[in-house]
Amino acid sequence: MYTQGLDQKDKPAGARQRAEAPEQAEAFQARVDAEEKIEAKDWMPEAYRRTLIRQISQHAHSEIIGMQPEGNWLTRAPTLKRKAILLAKIQDEAGHGLYLYSAAETLGVSRDQMVAELLSGKAKYSSIFNYPALTWADIGAIGWLVDGAAIMNQIPLCRCSYGPYSRAMIRICKEESFHQRQGFDILVALCNGTDKQKAMAQDALNRWWWPSLMMFGPSDKESKHSAQSMAWKIKRFSNDELRQKFIDVTVPQAEFLGLDMPDDELEFDESTGHYRHGEIDWQEFLDVLAGNGPCNRQRMAKRRKAHDDGAWVREAAYAYAEKHAAKDAA
Amino acid sequence: MSEKEWPLYEVFIRSKSGLSHRHAGSIHAADDQMALDAARDTYTRRNEGVSIWVVRSSQIVASDPAETAAFFEPAEDKIYRHPTFYDMPDGVENL
Ligand SMILES: [Fe+2]
Ligand SMILES: [Fe+2]
């Protein structure tokens, strides 16, 4: 989803790792196997900790960057009602970022460190947010498809073995279904509107469908960290399994809207009960991840500018707090 | 980054009167008032609370997970604290 296995560059268990007694690792795995939750201060393998820091922080960064494509439409929402809804939705995404940063911090990484890694480009965020929201229909498509794909991925994460991550995901999942519904609601309105409005909805679906499928990450054949994440019960289903579930529930929704999926090979397979789909353009996925999607530079530039523009506020708040602390102490 | 990081606060929320405050998560804030405001905006956007406590994370004293077994050991062998320990004679009621 927001953590689509952007982890290719991770080094193997490295130098800084302390020697881990095999009994400790075994006892840890036994706890995980028994579906016990691991809490922040519990012993855990260094690789488990690092995997979680990477995954949770990427997830947090995605929530934060993910506000941009939609934020772009706040001042151009067609009605005051739609504007208020979109504002609330985007505010939720900021909240998701905050829940996740604080979950990652329990693993011993600081907020500033994570933010610095996002701003320097070292940390990744989901490829999906490097696509532009060109029309109002895109706001519908994002809620329906992007939040829809996120939900598909996030529901199993509610059962993740790491307690703070699991609790953050439970909170997030409660809020996501509003996101998906408001998106679908936008598309229902457009599809019941004029031919032009319906064409706009179709165009948005055409552009967002494939990138949404890429949100689940590389195919199982290519996905490197899956087996270990499964054993640790960080992940519960493979990328392809989740992608398939998403396709199976989404195709009938498109039919309801009277829209065509932009995939000529999409076909219901009676024998499996699943939809078969065409080949995903993995080169496009890799290009976007490598920084060459339509909006990568713009997204990063905007985030850096927002961070820099806010520096004086952070400093002023700190100075104010120190002044009052000194006064209270006097 | 030369900036100093705002301190971390733990957030506890009472979801409705009659219930205890429960840990909701954490937030960073420059001071206590900002911590309360940020906790409200972050954790109660859907009326999840009627009362919020925030406390600096550094002020929390916690038991050590590595010592869990030893720390809670005194309660382990006192099964007589549970009513099921006692066999009541047949015929005795309301006990
Ligand atoms: Fe979100
Ligand atoms: Fe969302």
Side-chain angles (χ1 to χ4, degrees), chain A residues 31-37 55 152-162 166 226 229-239 241-242 245:
Chain A
R31 291 188 65 195
V32 171
D33 290 343
E35 298 287 337
E36 263 184 59
K37 294 289 182 216
Q55 176 166 337
M152 211 36 105
N153 242 299
Q154 289 174 166
I155 286 175
L157 282 173
C158 294
R159 293 191 292 130
C160 164
S161 60
Y162 187 56
S166 142
S226 276
S229 284
M230 292 268 201
W232 279 332
K233 298 192 193 287
I234 294 173
K235 218 177 151 94
R236 300 269 176 176
F237 298 98
S238 77
N239 294 351
E241 283 170 330
L242 290 168
K245 275 193 193 185

Side-chain angles (χ1 to χ4, degrees), chain A residues 60-269:
Chain A
H61 298 328
S62 302
E63 302 282 356
I64 298 300
I65 297 289
M67 291 189 280
Q68 290 189 32
E70 293 174 308
N72 196 29
W73 278 90
L74 275 174
T75 55
R76 290 175 286 159
T79 65
L80 188 57
K81 180 183 113 184
R82 296 283 186 198
K83 179 176 179 168
I85 291 171
L86 186 58
L87 198 55
K89 197 264 189 195
I90 294 171
Q91 194 191 19
D92 276 354
E93 304 300 4
H96 297 176
L98 296 181
Y99 308 154
L100 288 161
Y101 281 131
S102 59
E105 283 176 277
T106 63
L107 291 158
V109 60
S110 79
R111 178 82 55 108
D112 282 359
Q113 219 173 314
M114 288 184 276
V115 170
E117 287 188 1
L118 172 64
L119 297 179
S120 76
K122 186 174 170 233
K124 301 280 182 215
Y125 57 86
S126 176
S127 61
I128 193 77
F129 301 117
N130 291 311
Y131 291 86
L134 300 178
T135 72
W136 174 251
D138 288 38
I139 301 305
I142 291 172
W144 174 39
L145 300 174
V146 176
D147 289 85
I151 290 170
M152 211 36 105
N153 242 299
Q154 289 174 166
I155 286 175
L157 282 173
C158 294
R159 293 191 292 130
C160 164
S161 60
Y162 187 56
Y165 192 26
S166 142
R167 292 192 287 274
M169 291 319 308
I170 290 170
R171 194 172 274 280
I172 288 175
C173 283
K174 279 189 193 152
E175 301 183 350
E176 286 293 354
S177 86
F178 141 59
H179 296 180
Q180 195 185 18
R181 285 182 177 201
Q182 64 85 36
F184 196 74
D185 188 57
I186 289 172
L187 293 176
V188 169
L190 288 173
C191 291
N192 288 329
T194 64
D195 289 351
K196 241 178 158 173
Q197 286 172 320
K198 186 158 186 189
M200 199 193 259
Q202 180 65 58
D203 170 61
L205 172 58
N206 293 349
R207 284 179 292 105
W208 286 93
W209 176 245
W210 292 103
S212 299
L213 297 187
M214 294 176 199
M215 286 175 70
F216 295 91
S219 77
D220 293 350
K221 295 180 298 257
E222 308 291 329
S223 185
K224 296 180 186 170
H225 290 256
S226 276
Q228 182 60 77
S229 284
M230 292 268 201
W232 279 332
K233 298 192 193 287
I234 294 173
K235 218 177 151 94
R236 300 269 176 176
F237 298 98
S238 77
N239 294 351
D240 287 339
E241 283 170 330
L242 290 168
R243 188 166 14 243
Q244 186 65 53
K245 275 193 193 185
F246 174 69
I247 294 170
D248 290 344
V249 302
T250 309
V251 173
Q253 295 166 355
E255 281 165 9
F256 176 88
L257 291 171
L259 298 176
D260 298 321
M261 284 297 188
D263 178 356
D264 297 336
E265 291 169 53
L266 192 75
E267 198 184 0
F268 189 70
D269 184 338

